[in-house]
Protein backbone atom coordinates (compact mmCIF):
# COMPACT_ATOMS: atom_id res chain seq x y z
CA UNK A 1 0.00 0.00 0.00
CA UNK A 2 1.48 3.32 -1.10
CA UNK A 3 1.34 6.57 0.85
CA UNK A 4 -1.60 7.91 -1.17
CA UNK A 5 -3.67 4.84 -0.31
CA UNK A 6 -2.70 5.13 3.36
CA UNK A 7 -3.79 8.76 3.32
CA UNK A 8 -7.17 7.95 1.71
CA UNK A 9 -7.78 5.08 4.12
CA UNK A 10 -6.89 7.35 7.02
CA UNK A 11 -9.37 9.96 5.81
CA UNK A 12 -12.16 7.35 5.78
CA UNK A 13 -11.24 6.05 9.24
CA UNK A 14 -11.02 9.63 10.53
CA UNK A 15 -14.43 10.64 9.15
CA UNK A 16 -16.23 7.54 10.44
CA UNK A 17 -14.45 7.80 13.80
CA UNK A 18 -15.51 11.42 14.26
CA UNK A 19 -19.13 10.59 13.44
CA UNK A 20 -19.10 7.61 15.80
CA UNK A 21 -17.60 9.70 18.58
CA UNK A 22 -20.30 12.37 18.31
CA UNK A 23 -23.03 9.70 18.29
CA UNK A 24 -21.52 8.10 21.40
CA UNK A 25 -21.41 11.45 23.17
CA UNK A 26 -25.04 12.14 22.30
CA UNK A 27 -26.08 8.76 23.70
CA UNK A 28 -24.15 9.31 26.92
CA UNK A 29 -25.57 12.77 27.68
CA UNK A 30 -28.67 11.43 29.44
CA UNK A 31 -26.78 9.05 31.74
CA UNK A 32 -24.28 11.77 32.72
CA UNK A 33 -26.82 14.35 33.82
CA UNK A 34 -26.65 13.39 37.50
CA UNK A 35 -22.89 12.78 37.72
CA UNK A 36 -20.54 15.74 37.73
CA UNK A 37 -17.52 13.56 37.04
CA UNK A 38 -19.23 11.92 34.09
CA UNK A 39 -20.17 15.32 32.71
CA UNK A 40 -16.59 16.54 32.96
CA UNK A 41 -15.41 13.43 31.13
CA UNK A 42 -17.92 14.08 28.36
CA UNK A 43 -16.80 17.72 28.16
CA UNK A 44 -13.19 16.59 27.73
CA UNK A 45 -14.10 14.01 25.09
CA UNK A 46 -16.35 16.54 23.34
CA UNK A 47 -13.43 18.96 23.15
CA UNK A 48 -11.29 16.23 21.64
CA UNK A 49 -14.10 15.32 19.24
CA UNK A 50 -14.32 18.96 18.18
CA UNK A 51 -10.58 19.15 17.54
CA UNK A 52 -10.82 15.97 15.43
CA UNK A 53 -13.82 17.30 13.53
CA UNK A 54 -12.20 20.57 12.52
CA UNK A 55 -9.32 18.60 10.98
CA UNK A 56 -11.67 16.82 8.57
CA UNK A 57 -11.09 18.08 5.05
CA UNK A 58 -14.72 19.14 4.36
CA UNK A 59 -14.95 20.94 7.70
CA UNK A 60 -11.59 22.69 7.43
CA UNK A 61 -12.43 23.79 3.87
CA UNK A 62 -15.75 25.25 5.04
CA UNK A 63 -14.00 27.05 7.91
CA UNK A 64 -11.39 28.54 5.59
CA UNK A 65 -14.10 29.79 3.27
CA UNK A 66 -16.36 31.37 5.87
CA UNK A 67 -14.14 32.50 8.77
CA UNK A 68 -11.66 35.29 8.27
CA UNK A 69 -9.95 34.21 11.48
CA UNK A 70 -9.18 30.87 9.89
CA UNK A 71 -7.55 32.21 6.77
CA UNK A 72 -4.15 31.85 8.37
CA UNK A 73 -3.90 28.17 7.47
CA UNK A 74 -5.46 26.25 10.35
CA UNK A 75 -5.23 28.82 13.14
CA UNK A 76 -8.83 28.22 14.21
CA UNK A 77 -8.21 24.45 14.38
CA UNK A 78 -5.13 24.91 16.52
CA UNK A 79 -6.81 27.30 18.95
CA UNK A 80 -9.69 24.84 19.29
CA UNK A 81 -7.13 22.14 20.06
CA UNK A 82 -5.79 24.26 22.93
CA UNK A 83 -9.33 24.56 24.32
CA UNK A 84 -9.73 20.77 24.09
CA UNK A 85 -6.45 20.33 25.96
CA UNK A 86 -7.70 22.64 28.71
CA UNK A 87 -10.90 20.60 29.05
CA UNK A 88 -8.91 17.36 29.28
CA UNK A 89 -6.50 18.77 31.85
CA UNK A 90 -9.39 20.12 33.94
CA UNK A 91 -11.00 16.67 33.97
CA UNK A 92 -7.76 15.00 35.06
CA UNK A 93 -7.18 17.46 37.90
CA UNK A 94 -10.77 17.02 39.05
CA UNK A 95 -10.30 13.24 39.05
CA UNK A 96 -7.42 13.53 41.53
CA UNK A 97 -9.29 16.18 43.60
CA UNK A 98 -6.92 18.98 42.61
CA UNK A 99 -9.09 20.94 40.23
CA UNK A 100 -7.88 24.45 39.37
CA UNK A 101 -10.31 25.75 36.71
CA UNK A 102 -9.13 29.37 36.79
CA UNK A 103 -5.52 28.32 36.36
CA UNK A 104 -6.22 25.74 33.64
CA UNK A 105 -8.54 27.85 31.51
CA UNK A 106 -6.52 30.98 32.17
CA UNK A 107 -3.40 29.29 30.83
CA UNK A 108 -5.43 27.95 27.90
CA UNK A 109 -6.61 31.47 27.04
CA UNK A 110 -3.08 32.81 27.40
CA UNK A 111 -1.69 30.13 25.09
CA UNK A 112 -4.44 30.83 22.53
CA UNK A 113 -3.74 34.57 22.54
CA UNK A 114 0.00 33.91 22.25
CA UNK A 115 -0.55 31.62 19.26
CA UNK A 116 -2.67 34.26 17.52
CA UNK A 117 -0.05 36.95 18.11
CA UNK A 118 2.77 34.70 16.93
CA UNK A 119 0.83 33.77 13.81
CA UNK A 120 0.08 37.38 12.82
CA UNK A 121 3.31 39.05 13.93
CA UNK A 122 6.46 37.01 14.47
CA UNK A 123 5.79 34.03 12.19
CA UNK A 124 3.18 34.65 9.50
CA UNK A 125 1.30 31.49 8.41
CA UNK A 126 2.81 29.54 11.28
CA UNK A 127 -0.43 27.57 11.48
CA UNK A 128 0.67 25.53 8.46
CA UNK A 129 2.88 22.80 9.83
CA UNK A 130 3.31 21.42 6.31
CA UNK A 131 4.72 24.68 4.97
CA UNK A 132 8.44 24.50 4.32
CA UNK A 133 8.85 28.12 5.43
CA UNK A 134 8.11 27.22 9.06
CA UNK A 135 11.48 26.73 10.81
CA UNK A 136 12.12 23.83 13.14
CA UNK A 137 12.45 26.20 16.10
CA UNK A 138 9.05 27.81 15.42
CA UNK A 139 7.77 29.04 18.81
CA UNK A 140 4.20 28.69 17.51
CA UNK A 141 4.44 24.93 17.05
CA UNK A 142 6.61 24.24 20.07
CA UNK A 143 4.06 26.01 22.26
CA UNK A 144 1.14 24.23 20.58
CA UNK A 145 2.74 20.79 20.89
CA UNK A 146 3.60 21.44 24.55
CA UNK A 147 0.01 22.50 25.30
CA UNK A 148 -1.32 19.21 23.93
CA UNK A 149 1.29 16.95 25.51
CA UNK A 150 0.75 18.53 28.93
CA UNK A 151 -2.87 17.36 28.73
CA UNK A 152 -2.62 13.99 26.95
CA UNK A 153 0.35 12.42 28.77
CA UNK A 154 -1.05 12.87 32.33
CA UNK A 155 -4.48 11.75 31.08
CA UNK A 156 -3.08 8.51 29.67
CA UNK A 157 -1.04 7.87 32.82
CA UNK A 158 -3.98 8.52 35.16
CA UNK A 159 -6.42 6.32 33.22
CA UNK A 160 -3.85 3.50 33.11
CA UNK A 161 -3.15 3.89 36.84
CA UNK A 162 -6.79 3.64 37.84
CA UNK A 163 -7.31 0.76 35.42
CA UNK A 164 -4.68 -1.23 37.30
CA UNK A 165 -6.49 -0.44 40.55
CA UNK A 166 -9.89 -1.53 39.23
CA UNK A 167 -9.38 -5.03 40.65
CA UNK A 168 -12.06 -7.50 39.59
CA UNK A 169 -14.22 -4.86 37.92
CA UNK A 170 -13.42 -5.79 34.33
CA UNK A 171 -15.86 -3.26 32.91
CA UNK A 172 -14.22 -0.32 34.63
CA UNK A 173 -10.74 -1.61 33.85
CA UNK A 174 -11.52 -2.07 30.15
CA UNK A 175 -13.13 1.37 29.84
CA UNK A 176 -10.19 3.10 31.49
CA UNK A 177 -7.69 1.21 29.33
CA UNK A 178 -9.56 2.24 26.18
CA UNK A 179 -9.52 5.89 27.26
CA UNK A 180 -5.82 5.58 28.13
CA UNK A 181 -5.14 4.12 24.68
CA UNK A 182 -7.02 7.04 23.11
CA UNK A 183 -4.90 9.57 24.97
CA UNK A 184 -1.75 7.65 24.03
CA UNK A 185 -2.79 7.76 20.39
CA UNK A 186 -3.32 11.51 20.66
CA UNK A 187 0.13 11.82 22.24
CA UNK A 188 1.65 9.86 19.38
CA UNK A 189 0.01 12.24 16.92
CA UNK A 190 1.70 15.26 18.44
CA UNK A 191 5.01 13.45 18.65
CA UNK A 192 4.68 12.75 14.91
CA UNK A 193 4.00 16.46 14.37
CA UNK A 194 7.15 17.24 16.35
CA UNK A 195 9.16 14.75 14.27
CA UNK A 196 7.76 16.30 11.11
CA UNK A 197 8.75 19.76 12.34
CA UNK A 198 12.30 18.68 13.14
CA UNK A 199 13.09 16.27 10.29
CA UNK A 200 10.54 17.16 7.57
CA UNK A 201 9.98 13.61 6.26
CA UNK A 202 7.08 14.09 3.85
CA UNK A 203 5.98 10.45 4.31
CA UNK A 204 4.79 11.19 7.85
CA UNK A 205 2.06 13.45 6.54
CA UNK A 206 0.26 10.42 5.07
CA UNK A 207 -0.25 8.96 8.55
CA UNK A 208 -1.86 12.01 10.14
CA UNK A 209 -5.50 11.17 9.22
CA UNK A 210 -5.08 7.49 10.16
CA UNK A 211 -3.66 8.39 13.56
CA UNK A 212 -6.47 10.85 14.22
CA UNK A 213 -9.03 8.23 13.16
CA UNK A 214 -7.55 5.62 15.52
CA UNK A 215 -7.74 8.14 18.35
CA UNK A 216 -11.40 8.82 17.56
CA UNK A 217 -12.31 5.12 17.52
CA UNK A 218 -10.49 4.39 20.78
CA UNK A 219 -12.26 7.25 22.53
CA UNK A 220 -15.56 6.10 21.03
CA UNK A 221 -15.01 2.60 22.44
CA UNK A 222 -14.19 4.01 25.87
CA UNK A 223 -17.27 6.24 25.90
CA UNK A 224 -19.59 3.56 24.47
CA UNK A 225 -18.55 0.74 26.79
CA UNK A 226 -21.09 1.63 29.56
CA UNK A 227 -23.80 1.83 26.91
CA UNK A 228 -22.94 -1.59 25.53
CA UNK A 229 -22.88 -3.08 29.02
CA UNK A 230 -26.27 -1.53 29.77
CA UNK A 231 -27.71 -2.98 26.55
CA UNK A 232 -26.31 -6.39 27.47
CA UNK A 233 -27.76 -6.13 30.99
CA UNK A 234 -31.15 -5.18 29.61
CA UNK A 235 -31.13 -8.12 27.23
CA UNK A 236 -30.18 -10.46 30.07
CA UNK A 237 -32.90 -9.08 32.37
CA UNK A 238 -35.59 -9.38 29.72
CA UNK A 239 -34.53 -12.95 28.96
CA UNK A 240 -34.63 -13.81 32.68
CA UNK A 241 -38.04 -12.19 33.04
CA UNK A 242 -39.37 -14.26 30.15
CA UNK A 243 -37.86 -17.55 31.40
CA UNK A 244 -39.01 -17.05 35.02
CA UNK A 245 -42.61 -16.40 34.02
CA UNK A 246 -43.80 -20.08 34.18
CA UNK A 247 -42.25 -20.56 37.62
CA UNK A 248 -43.71 -17.28 38.87
CA UNK A 249 -47.16 -18.10 37.45
CA UNK A 250 -47.33 -21.53 39.06
CA UNK A 251 -46.09 -20.40 42.47
CA UNK A 252 -48.20 -17.24 42.80
CA UNK A 253 -51.24 -19.29 41.77
CA UNK A 254 -50.70 -21.18 45.03
CA UNK A 255 -50.01 -17.98 47.00
CA UNK A 256 -51.74 -15.12 45.14
CA UNK A 257 -51.49 -12.66 48.03
CA UNK A 258 -47.71 -12.31 47.52
CA UNK A 259 -48.31 -10.42 44.25
CA UNK A 260 -47.83 -6.73 44.84
CA UNK A 261 -49.20 -5.66 41.47
CA UNK A 262 -50.57 -7.89 38.74
CA UNK A 263 -48.33 -7.57 35.65
CA UNK A 264 -49.80 -6.57 32.32
CA UNK A 265 -48.73 -9.71 30.51
CA UNK A 266 -45.71 -11.76 29.59
CA UNK A 267 -45.17 -10.24 26.16
CA UNK A 268 -45.92 -6.65 27.18
CA UNK A 269 -43.26 -6.89 29.89
CA UNK A 270 -40.67 -7.49 27.17
CA UNK A 271 -41.67 -4.26 25.44
CA UNK A 272 -41.64 -2.08 28.55
CA UNK A 273 -39.08 0.61 29.32
CA UNK A 274 -35.73 -0.53 30.78
CA UNK A 275 -36.49 0.86 34.23
CA UNK A 276 -39.88 -0.86 34.28
CA UNK A 277 -38.32 -4.14 33.20
CA UNK A 278 -35.70 -4.00 35.94
CA UNK A 279 -38.32 -3.23 38.57
CA UNK A 280 -40.58 -6.03 37.34
CA UNK A 281 -37.71 -8.54 37.47
CA UNK A 282 -36.92 -7.50 41.04
CA UNK A 283 -40.57 -7.86 42.06
CA UNK A 284 -40.83 -11.20 40.32
CA UNK A 285 -37.84 -12.57 42.25
CA UNK A 286 -39.26 -11.31 45.56
CA UNK A 287 -42.69 -12.77 44.86
CA UNK A 288 -41.21 -16.15 43.89
CA UNK A 289 -39.18 -16.17 47.10
CA UNK A 290 -42.23 -15.30 49.21
CA UNK A 291 -44.27 -18.03 47.55
CA UNK A 292 -41.50 -20.57 48.23
CA UNK A 293 -41.50 -19.68 51.93
CA UNK A 294 -45.28 -20.04 52.12
CA UNK A 295 -45.38 -23.37 50.27
CA UNK A 296 -42.65 -24.74 52.50
CA UNK A 297 -45.19 -25.20 55.30
CA UNK A 298 -47.30 -27.55 53.17
CA UNK A 299 -44.62 -30.24 53.08
CA UNK A 300 -44.86 -32.84 55.85
CA UNK A 301 -41.78 -34.06 57.68
CA UNK A 302 -41.83 -37.54 56.16
CA UNK A 303 -42.26 -36.09 52.69
CA UNK A 304 -39.33 -33.73 53.11
CA UNK A 305 -37.22 -36.59 54.44
CA UNK A 306 -38.19 -38.67 51.42
CA UNK A 307 -37.19 -35.85 49.05
CA UNK A 308 -33.84 -35.30 50.75
CA UNK A 309 -33.02 -39.01 50.65
CA UNK A 310 -34.04 -39.70 47.07
CA UNK A 311 -32.95 -36.56 45.21
CA UNK A 312 -29.23 -36.00 44.69
CA UNK A 313 -27.99 -32.60 45.82
CA UNK A 314 -25.56 -32.32 42.91
CA UNK A 315 -22.70 -29.88 43.35
CA UNK A 316 -24.56 -27.43 45.57
CA UNK A 317 -22.84 -26.49 48.84
CA UNK A 318 -23.91 -28.43 51.90
CA UNK A 319 -25.53 -25.39 53.51
CA UNK A 320 -27.67 -24.67 50.44
CA UNK A 321 -30.44 -26.77 48.96
CA UNK A 322 -29.92 -27.78 45.35
CA UNK A 323 -32.44 -26.70 42.69
CA UNK A 324 -33.52 -30.33 42.26
CA UNK A 325 -34.40 -30.67 45.96
CA UNK A 326 -36.31 -27.39 46.04
CA UNK A 327 -38.15 -28.16 42.81
CA UNK A 328 -39.13 -31.60 44.13
CA UNK A 329 -40.62 -30.50 47.42
CA UNK A 330 -42.31 -27.55 45.72
CA UNK A 331 -44.26 -30.02 43.60
CA UNK A 332 -45.20 -31.92 46.74
CA UNK A 333 -46.25 -28.68 48.47
CA UNK A 334 -48.43 -27.52 45.57
CA UNK A 335 -50.18 -30.90 45.48
CA UNK A 336 -50.72 -30.91 49.24
CA UNK A 337 -52.16 -27.40 49.17
CA UNK A 338 -54.54 -28.38 46.39
CA UNK A 339 -55.63 -31.39 48.50
CA UNK A 340 -56.38 -29.21 51.51
CA UNK A 341 -53.42 -30.16 53.71
CA UNK A 342 -53.10 -27.92 56.76
CA UNK A 343 -49.85 -25.93 56.65
CA UNK A 344 -47.44 -26.63 59.48
CA UNK A 345 -43.83 -25.64 60.05
CA UNK A 346 -41.37 -28.52 60.44
CA UNK A 347 -37.85 -28.33 61.89
CA UNK A 348 -36.00 -29.70 58.83
CA UNK A 349 -35.51 -26.79 56.46
CA UNK A 350 -34.56 -27.21 52.80
CA UNK A 351 -35.45 -23.73 51.57
CA UNK A 352 -32.79 -22.04 49.44
CA UNK A 353 -30.72 -19.41 51.18
CA UNK A 354 -30.93 -15.90 49.73
CA UNK A 355 -28.22 -14.91 47.27
CA UNK A 356 -25.72 -12.11 47.66
CA UNK A 357 -27.39 -9.93 45.03
CA UNK A 358 -30.12 -9.91 42.41
CA UNK A 359 -27.94 -11.65 39.82
CA UNK A 360 -27.27 -14.63 42.10
CA UNK A 361 -30.97 -14.85 42.99
CA UNK A 362 -31.96 -14.83 39.32
CA UNK A 363 -29.32 -17.46 38.50
CA UNK A 364 -30.65 -19.84 41.17
CA UNK A 365 -34.28 -19.34 40.18
CA UNK A 366 -33.44 -19.96 36.53
CA UNK A 367 -31.83 -23.26 37.54
CA UNK A 368 -34.90 -24.04 39.61
CA UNK A 369 -37.21 -23.27 36.70
CA UNK A 370 -35.20 -25.51 34.38
CA UNK A 371 -34.93 -28.35 36.91
CA UNK A 372 -38.72 -28.47 37.34
CA UNK A 373 -38.98 -29.99 33.86
CA UNK A 374 -36.61 -32.89 34.60
CA UNK A 375 -37.99 -36.46 34.92
CA UNK A 376 -36.68 -36.78 38.48
CA UNK A 377 -38.74 -33.81 39.64
CA UNK A 378 -41.79 -34.76 37.62
CA UNK A 379 -41.87 -38.02 39.58
CA UNK A 380 -42.99 -36.06 42.64
CA UNK A 381 -46.23 -35.06 40.92
CA UNK A 382 -47.51 -38.61 41.59
CA UNK A 383 -49.89 -39.27 44.53
CA UNK A 384 -48.75 -38.23 47.97
CA UNK A 385 -45.90 -40.08 49.62
CA UNK A 386 -46.99 -41.96 52.69
CA UNK A 387 -44.98 -42.33 55.85
CA UNK A 388 -44.36 -46.04 55.11
CA UNK A 389 -43.09 -45.26 51.63
CA UNK A 390 -40.80 -42.59 53.02
CA UNK A 391 -39.39 -45.02 55.58
CA UNK A 392 -38.75 -47.63 52.86
CA UNK A 393 -37.01 -45.16 50.55
CA UNK A 394 -33.54 -46.37 49.56
CA UNK A 395 -30.55 -44.63 51.07
CA UNK A 396 -28.42 -42.71 48.54
CA UNK A 397 -25.09 -44.17 47.44
CA UNK A 398 -22.22 -42.03 48.84
CA UNK A 399 -20.24 -42.63 45.65
CA UNK A 400 -22.96 -40.82 43.72
CA UNK A 401 -23.30 -37.84 46.08
CA UNK A 402 -21.74 -35.57 43.50
CA UNK A 403 -24.11 -36.52 40.68
CA UNK A 404 -26.90 -34.20 39.62
CA UNK A 405 -30.58 -35.05 39.81
Amino acid sequence: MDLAAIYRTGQTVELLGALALWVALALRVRSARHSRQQRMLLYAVAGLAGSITVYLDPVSAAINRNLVFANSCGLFMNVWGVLASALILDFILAAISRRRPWLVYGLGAAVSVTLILLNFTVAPHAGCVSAQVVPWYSPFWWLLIAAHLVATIPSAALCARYALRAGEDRTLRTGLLLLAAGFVSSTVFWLIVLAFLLLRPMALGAFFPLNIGITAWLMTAGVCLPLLIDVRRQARNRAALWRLWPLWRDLVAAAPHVVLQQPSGRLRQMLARPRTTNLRLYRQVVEIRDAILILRDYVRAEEMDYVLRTVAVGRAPQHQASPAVVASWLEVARRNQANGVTPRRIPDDATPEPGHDLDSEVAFLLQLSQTRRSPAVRAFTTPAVTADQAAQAPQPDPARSEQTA
Side-chain angles (χ1 to χ4, degrees), residues 3-284:
L3 295 179
I6 293 175
Y7 186 82
R8 290 193 300 270
T9 302
Q11 284 183 314
T12 303
V13 174
E14 181 185 21
L15 176 60
L16 296 178
L19 293 175
L21 186 54
W22 282 116
V23 171
L25 288 171
L27 294 175
R28 281 295 305 275
V29 167
R30 183 177 180 181
S31 62
R33 288 182 303 175
H34 305 294
S35 174
R36 179 171 171 272
Q37 191 172 15
Q38 289 291 327
R39 288 198 305 271
M40 294 191 65
L41 173 62
L42 294 188
Y43 292 154
V45 176
L48 183 61
S51 63
I52 292 174
T53 303
V54 296
Y55 273 96
L56 298 175
D57 287 344
V59 178
S60 60
I63 292 175
N64 288 330
R65 286 195 307 266
N66 299 296
L67 292 179
V68 177
F69 178 72
N71 285 343
S72 186
C73 193
L75 183 59
F76 176 84
M77 296 183 290
N78 293 321
V79 171
W80 182 279
V82 173
L83 173 62
S85 299
L87 289 170
I88 294 172
L89 187 59
D90 185 30
F91 164 70
I92 293 301
L93 292 177
I96 59 177
S97 301
R98 296 182 180 179
R99 189 174 182 231
R100 301 291 187 273
W102 289 104
L103 177 62
V104 171
Y105 293 109
L107 289 176
V111 170
S112 300
V113 172
T114 304
L115 292 178
I116 295 173
L117 293 177
L118 288 173
N119 189 83
F120 282 104
T121 57
V122 179
H125 303 292
C128 297
V129 70
S130 60
Q132 296 294 327
V133 296
V134 179
W136 68 268
Y137 54 85
S138 170
F140 180 97
W141 281 98
W142 280 94
L143 180 60
L144 181 63
I145 293 172
H148 283 277
L149 294 181
V150 164
T152 57
I153 292 177
S155 300
L158 186 68
C159 289
R161 177 185 178 187
Y162 280 98
L164 295 177
R165 294 183 176 182
E168 299 298 327
D169 193 340
R170 294 190 302 173
T171 301
L172 178 60
R173 182 169 64 251
T174 303
L176 289 173
L177 288 176
L178 287 172
L179 292 176
F183 288 123
V184 168
S185 179
S186 181
T187 302
V188 170
F189 171 80
W190 289 105
L191 292 177
I192 293 176
V193 173
L194 179 60
F196 186 90
L197 185 66
L198 295 175
L199 305 175
R200 300 306 171 96
M202 299 306 296
L204 286 180
F207 294 92
F208 285 163
L210 182 60
N211 181 261
I212 295 174
I214 292 174
T215 302
W217 279 109
L218 288 172
M219 300 304 291
T220 300
V223 172
C224 275
L225 186 62
L227 297 175
L228 297 177
I229 293 174
D230 187 61
V231 170
R232 178 187 175 189
R233 183 184 299 110
Q234 283 298 316
R236 186 174 66 246
N237 288 348
R238 291 176 191 273
L241 197 61
W242 178 269
R243 293 169 59 190
L244 287 178
W245 177 273
L247 176 64
W248 173 86
R249 178 195 57 202
D250 293 343
L251 295 185
V252 300
H257 57 280
V258 302
V259 179
L260 179 63
Q261 182 179 2
Q262 193 67 27
S264 54
R266 188 180 185 184
L267 182 59
R268 292 186 64 180
Q269 288 184 141
M270 299 297 102
L271 305 177
R273 295 180 301 175
R275 185 175 181 180
T276 304
T277 302
N278 297 340
L279 180 60
R280 182 56 206 154
L281 178 62
Y282 177 78
R283 286 182 176 177
Q284 192 175 75

Side-chain angles (χ1 to χ4, degrees), residues 247-403:
L247 176 64
W248 173 86
R249 178 195 57 202
D250 293 343
L251 295 185
V252 300
H257 57 280
V258 302
V259 179
L260 179 63
Q261 182 179 2
Q262 193 67 27
S264 54
R266 188 180 185 184
L267 182 59
R268 292 186 64 180
Q269 288 184 141
M270 299 297 102
L271 305 177
R273 295 180 301 175
R275 185 175 181 180
T276 304
T277 302
N278 297 340
L279 180 60
R280 182 56 206 154
L281 178 62
Y282 177 78
R283 286 182 176 177
Q284 192 175 75
V285 169
V286 172
E287 290 165 1
I288 291 175
R289 275 286 184 173
D290 291 343
I292 289 176
L293 293 176
I294 293 172
L295 289 173
R296 174 64 185 81
D297 296 339
Y298 286 91
V299 184
R300 293 173 295 186
E302 62 272 14
E303 292 172 328
M304 181 61 71
D305 183 65
Y306 180 77
V307 169
L308 293 175
R309 286 190 295 163
T310 55
V311 179
V313 297
R315 297 184 179 274
Q318 294 182 357
H319 64 276
Q320 181 176 348
S322 68
V325 170
V326 178
S328 299
W329 67 251
L330 276 176
E331 295 299 326
V332 175
R334 291 175 59 206
R335 183 190 60 230
N336 289 347
Q337 187 197 44
N339 293 335
V341 174
T342 303
R344 184 178 59 183
R345 192 69 176 171
I346 62 176
D348 295 334
D349 196 356
T351 55
E353 292 187 0
H356 301 291
D357 51 22
L358 181 61
D359 291 338
S360 60
E361 287 281 356
V362 170
F364 179 83
L365 294 181
L366 287 175
Q367 293 180 6
L368 178 62
S369 178
Q370 183 178 4
T371 307
R372 292 174 66 222
R373 297 188 293 269
S374 65
V377 174
R378 288 183 179 274
F380 284 90
T381 61
T382 57
V385 180
T386 64
D388 293 338
Q389 290 174 324
Q392 297 173 4
Q395 297 294 329
D397 187 357
R400 303 183 57 185
S401 61
E402 293 298 324
Q403 296 181 1

